Amino acid sequence: LSSLSRIKILLSKVIYPDSNSVINNKKNYTIIVNKLTIGDMQILVLHLRKLIFGDSSQSIVECPICNMHMDLNVSTFELLDKFLLFDKAKYEQEVKIDNYVLKIRPLIINDIETCTNYNANQSSTLSPSASLESTQENNKNNYIEQLIRQCIIQSNPDLPSNSLDNEFLEKINKEI
């Protein structure tokens, strides 16, 4: 299982201890967990980590360059404090980029899964003559554009249906 899948299962068990029950033919956790923003998910996981293991996380890591062992101490409280001070994750904001006025929202868990599935489908339809590098770059660009388009609630005027240029995508990405 991917780390995202494991986190979703953990959060679903915390939110709904009996996640086998059904509401409207959907498992309960999909109703809330898939709608969490990525930031909200990270904050919940940090709070769970702090409640279960305490504030301090200690480990010894090895530098990949010099092979020196280093002590690493991370405070969950300090990480949470930085998350809570970060005000950019407004749930909806209006931004002007080039000639467009966009209403955007932050990424949610469901966006990541949708785009992962989108990329899997796209890569299976590419020509066998395409090089691996160009295929990977194409998938990366498609993935980024798909994620960004999912976060755009409204655009005035409407965005073109064909691919957006990288400079425009970068400008939107800075706002999300």
Side-chain angles (χ1 to χ4, degrees):
L1 288 175
S2 70
S3 59
L4 179 61
S5 297
R6 289 190 305 264
I7 288 171
K8 282 177 56 177
I9 291 168
L10 172 66
L11 291 177
S12 70
K13 295 294 184 186
V14 170
I15 294 170
Y16 292 106
D18 179 18
S19 61
N20 293 327
S21 62
V22 175
I23 296 178
N24 296 331
N25 294 328
K26 288 186 177 182
K27 287 191 174 182
N28 288 339
Y29 71 87
T30 60
I31 297 170
I32 293 179
V33 174
N34 283 342
K35 299 289 184 192
L36 289 173
T37 66
I38 302 302
D40 289 342
M41 176 193 66
Q42 291 171 331
I43 287 172
L44 285 171
V45 169
L46 283 171
H47 275 291
L48 284 171
R49 194 252 169 256
K50 184 177 177 186
L51 287 169
I52 295 168
F53 300 110
D55 180 57
S56 183
S57 176
Q58 300 172 345
S59 62
I60 298 175
V61 294
E62 184 177 327
C63 175
I65 297 169
C66 68
N67 297 329
M68 184 176 171
H69 287 88
M70 298 175 282
D71 289 329
L72 178 66
N73 295 314
V74 178
S75 166
T76 306
F77 176 78
E78 289 177 18
L79 289 173
L80 283 167
D81 195 40
K82 290 182 191 320
F83 265 111
L84 298 175
L85 291 175
F86 189 66
D87 189 33
K88 198 163 185 153
K90 296 176 184 172
Y91 284 91
E92 285 184 11
Q93 56 184 331
E94 196 169 278
V95 295
K96 184 169 181 358
I97 299 176
D98 295 342
N99 296 326
Y100 296 94
V101 176
L102 305 173
K103 190 175 186 180
I104 58 175
R105 64 163 175 79
L107 286 170
I108 60 174
I109 293 174
N110 203 41
D111 294 334
I112 304 297
E113 289 185 328
T114 301
C115 287
T116 303
N117 294 337
Y118 170 81
N119 265 349
N121 292 338
Q122 288 298 102
S123 62
S124 66
T125 60
L126 290 174
S127 159
S129 63
S131 74
L132 180 60
E133 277 184 19
S134 67
T135 301
Q136 289 173 336
E137 187 62 29
N138 188 36
N139 282 348
K140 178 183 170 189
N141 291 340
N142 288 340
Y143 178 78
I144 291 169
E145 182 169 347
Q146 182 70 10
L147 275 174
I148 288 173
R149 282 186 180 270
Q150 286 182 201
C151 293
I152 298 172
I153 299 168
Q154 185 178 10
S155 173
N156 188 12
D158 290 341
L159 289 173
S161 58
N162 57 335
S163 293
L164 300 171
D165 67 65
N166 287 338
E167 184 180 327
F168 187 75
L169 291 172
E170 274 300 314
K171 290 176 184 177
I172 297 173
N173 190 33
K174 288 179 182 176
E175 297 296 330
I176 293 179

